[in-house]
Structure formats: structure tokens, C-alpha cells
Amino acid sequence: GGGDPLRAFFASFYKMLRKLGYVPGIEMKAAMREAESAGSDLVYGDRDINDTMRELRGAISNPATLVGALRTPPPPELAGMMQDIFTGGTGGMGDKLGKSVEALKTRENAALMTRWMDDAIPAVADVMLHRRDKAMAQNLRRHCGSGSIVAVVGMAHVDGIEREWQGLEPGALSP
């Protein structure tokens, strides 16, 4: 076979991020160090990556997904940033790409991106955001007990985890 195009896409994406000085997983490594130094438990609260990737392959293999992405323009506030991200910046200007990636890391822009994904590519949004938000909220609730908890999550998940958390009764967790 010709390999897995989805895996190749993510490998290229992370390679580009590393060239820009971003270290994928650095937040998780910092959380691991902090948990160890505090003597706290560390819990991986996300869904299994293999399940997510399998479901994402299914979502993007549907031609309607590409059609939806092409027919639904991003919000004007995100259009330039998204163009820079998907084209790698113009004229090889990695600095512009880096600034666009950073600009997306606000709660307002994450919410705009989520709404666009829900409209344009709902199957992808469901796999990459909503199912994971639900799993993370359930795992946080399960491991939180009556104490406090520190969660390290991507900005795109904050609103969804909060929404799911509020919908959970302390004893009402799915297996």
C-alpha cells in the first residue's frame, strides 16, 4: 500500500510545527513533571488515539466532508489565519504561520473555529472535538472526586469540556 495518508498528513504537520519551534506534547511533558514534583496522580483523560484516528479516517473518507469544507467559508476573523496555516504562510514566511497558529489559541477564536467546523465539517468536528470533550469531561469527573484537579487540554476543548462537565451528575458516568 501507499501508506496512511492521514498519518502522513499529521507527520508533516508536526514536522512543520517543530521547524517553527513548537514542541508537540510539551504541555503534557510539563504536566507530568509538575504532577511528579507535587506527588500527584497523572491521568490521561482523552480518548484512545487509535479510536479517534480510525473514526477520523471514516469521517474524511466521506466526499460530503470535503464538499462541506469547500462550500462553507471560514468566519472572516479566521480566514487569513486559516489560509496561513493551510498554506504554510506566504512566501515561506514561517513567522507569519507561527503568529497565525498562536492567534488561534484564544478562547474566542477557538469558539469561532468550533462553530465553523460544526457547520462545514460536522463529522470531523464530532470526532475531533465533541466525542473527545465528552470523554475528557467524564474522565475528569471520574478522577476528580471531591478535591481539585488540574487539566491540561487544548484551547479547542475548553468550552466543550465545560459544557459536558455541567451536564454530568457526579454519579452519572457512562462506562
Side-chain angles (χ1 to χ4, degrees):
D4 181 349
L6 189 59
R7 194 171 301 276
F9 166 78
F10 278 109
S12 295
F13 180 71
Y14 285 119
K15 182 178 181 181
M16 176 186 65
L17 288 177
R18 282 189 291 279
K19 283 183 181 178
L20 294 170
Y22 296 97
V23 180
I26 196 165
E27 294 91 352
M28 181 55 104
K29 290 176 185 173
M32 292 168 71
R33 280 193 305 274
E34 291 300 317
E36 185 176 338
S37 72
S40 299
D41 291 336
L42 181 71
V43 176
Y44 178 77
D46 204 345
R47 295 182 72 218
D48 182 280
I49 185 67
N50 294 313
D51 293 341
T52 298
M53 293 301 280
R54 184 185 67 254
E55 292 168 5
L56 182 59
R57 267 186 216 92
I60 64 174
S61 68
N62 182 342
T65 300
L66 179 59
V67 171
L70 294 173
R71 283 191 179 160
T72 310
E77 303 91 335
L78 301 181
M81 289 180 253
M82 289 175 67
Q83 181 178 349
D84 290 341
I85 290 167
F86 290 118
T87 63
T90 56
M93 295 168 43
D95 188 47
K96 186 175 181 181
L97 172 61
K99 287 179 182 173
S100 292
V101 169
E102 281 303 308
L104 280 175
K105 293 181 182 179
T106 68
R107 200 158 181 175
E108 295 78 19
N109 285 340
L112 285 171
M113 178 65 80
T114 297
R115 282 194 294 277
W116 176 79
M117 289 177 69
D118 282 336
D119 291 342
I121 48 176
V124 172
D126 185 51
V127 170
M128 294 302 295
L129 297 174
H130 308 308
R131 292 180 193 186
R132 294 175 64 209
D133 294 345
K134 182 175 185 173
M136 288 187 270
Q138 288 179 341
N139 285 322
L140 286 169
R141 176 72 79 180
R142 184 174 290 117
H143 294 286
C144 184
S146 61
S148 60
I149 192 166
V150 175
V152 179
V153 300
M155 182 60 70
H157 296 285
V158 174
D159 288 342
I161 291 171
E162 283 184 357
R163 205 171 19 259
E164 291 291 338
W165 178 273
Q166 291 170 1
L168 286 174
E169 292 298 323
L173 298 175
S174 60

